[in-house]
Amino acid sequence: MGGISIWQLLIIVAIVVLLFGTKKLRTLGSDLGASVKGFKKAMSDEETTSNQATTANKEEAQSDADFDVKSIQEQQQPSVKTEEQKSQNKEQV
């Protein structure tokens, strides 16, 4: 009813072969195959690098929890800057 029959497909293939020629279609097919192969290789490389990255992130996350604990006295002491420290900061800017 709305489908393409085998005869219509054969006519379309014949027209395409006449327009482009067999050499051009052969190179087109090999180029298409090479690009699909390259795409699959890139996807597998991306998958392995992402797996390596997630394991590295897990290791870093475990080491991120290591921090120095300050006592309450150290936290409450205001940091008093001397004139020398203030002048050094101004020179750096």
Side-chain angles (χ1 to χ4, degrees), residues 2-3 7 20 22 27 29 42 44 47 68-69 81-82 86 91:
W7 295 109
F20 295 108
T22 56
T27 57
S44 66
E47 186 176 302
D68 296 328
V69 178
K81 292 185 179 180
T82 62
K86 289 179 183 179
E91 291 173 4

Side-chain angles (χ1 to χ4, degrees), residues 13-14 29 34 37 39 46 57 65 77 79:
V13 168
K37 185 178 180 181
F39 179 75
E46 178 68 28
N57 287 341
Q77 286 180 344
S79 59

